[in-house]
Amino acid sequence: MDLRFPDELVALVADDASDRHGARGRDQGTAQLSVSLTATRDTSVLPTEGALLDRVAEWGPAHSSAGVFYLVPVRVDRDLPLISRWMNDPAAAFWELSGPQSVTEDHLRAQLADDGRSVPCIGVLDGTPMSYWEIYRADLDPLARHYPARPHDTGLHLLVGAVADRGRGLGGLLLRAVADLALAQRSSCARVIAEPDIRNTPSIAAFLTAGFRFSAEVDLPAKRAALMVRDRSLRHLL
């Protein structure tokens, strides 16, 4: 069956695949989302990284009342200007990545230089890049030293990038959709974990709206955090 994917999503995926073969220049990035393609879903063109997270690039769409949502793994040469701009918004203060692009670039490259236990992604809603995500193995993260981790715990970080997308309930809506997508795609994962700063009340409220429960306060090296948990066994109740 032929499927038509959002043009912007096709552009992001096609850019990643074609650059591997030298077909596109680095100046054709996120700002030029103009490719139109009708094709069957061919996972051979998707990145193969991320085995520790069951290949986030191949998770497919999350459906929500706000539209169809995809996670597209970050490419620094393509996505850095957009992510850096989002990080310099006052709403992103808790990320502590404001300043020149090099600050965000160092953070992204550190994520990508790892063994795949963290996958930074652009969130694309109905064809529009609108958020930054980090999907990570919480049980393999330093976080695991500070809470009773279980094998295959999956962690989420989220920044809603565009000002127009804030204050509309999208954070909670998409957190629920992505958490449930992670549980659906990672059969070995029983819980999705998050650890927002305890002072970040809008973030905590979004996780509660998304069906996470507040588990504990934990002292991390850089912050005191609210440990939020979405359990597979409770996902139909919360």
Side-chain angles (χ1 to χ4, degrees), residues 7 12 20 22 47 51 57 90 109 133 141 160 190 207 232 235-236:
D7 291 349
L12 288 174
R20 290 168 181 260
R109 292 199 183 280
W133 298 73
D141 189 83
V160 176
F207 279 106
R232 178 184 294 277
R235 69 189 187 283
H236 298 305

Side-chain angles (χ1 to χ4, degrees), residues 170-205:
L170 281 178
L173 192 70
L174 295 179
L175 283 168
R176 180 184 291 270
V178 171
D180 288 351
L181 183 64
L183 292 170
Q185 296 295 327
R186 304 200 66 233
S187 59
S188 55
C189 171
R191 306 185 303 177
V192 179
I193 304 294
E195 22 76 34
D197 192 298
I198 196 68
R199 299 167 295 171
N200 192 349
T201 52
S203 179
I204 294 171

Side-chain angles (χ1 to χ4, degrees), residues 64-67 125 130 133 158 160 164-176 206:
S64 75
S65 59
L125 179 62
M130 50 73 64
W133 298 73
L158 163 64
V160 176
D165 289 324
R166 299 183 195 134
R168 300 169 45 201
L170 281 178
L173 192 70
L174 295 179
L175 283 168
R176 180 184 291 270

Side-chain angles (χ1 to χ4, degrees), residues 49-180:
E49 296 87 349
L52 287 175
L53 283 158
D54 299 296
R55 307 193 188 284
V56 174
E58 299 175 20
W59 281 8
H63 297 277
S64 75
S65 59
V68 180
F69 183 82
Y70 285 86
L71 292 168
V72 179
V74 162
R75 286 274 307 281
V76 175
D77 57 338
R78 178 190 65 202
D79 303 322
L80 177 59
L82 179 64
I83 299 172
S84 180
R85 185 167 71 249
W86 288 344
M87 291 298 178
N88 276 280
D89 189 285
F94 285 104
W95 286 78
E96 298 182 343
L97 292 175
S98 62
Q101 281 192 11
S102 59
V103 176
T104 299
E105 181 176 7
D106 289 345
H107 176 80
L108 293 175
R109 292 199 183 280
Q111 295 280 313
L112 294 167
D114 212 336
D115 57 4
R117 66 186 63 191
S118 180
V119 180
C121 295
I122 294 289
V124 180
L125 179 62
D126 276 349
T128 301
M130 50 73 64
S131 53
Y132 172 72
W133 298 73
E134 289 171 357
I135 316 297
Y136 66 100
R137 281 286 296 270
D139 61 319
L140 302 179
D141 189 83
L143 172 66
R145 304 179 192 135
H146 302 276
Y147 84 103
R150 298 178 188 172
H152 297 281
D153 278 353
T154 302
L156 298 181
H157 295 146
L158 163 64
L159 172 65
V160 176
V163 174
D165 289 324
R166 299 183 195 134
R168 300 169 45 201
L170 281 178
L173 192 70
L174 295 179
L175 283 168
R176 180 184 291 270
V178 171
D180 288 351

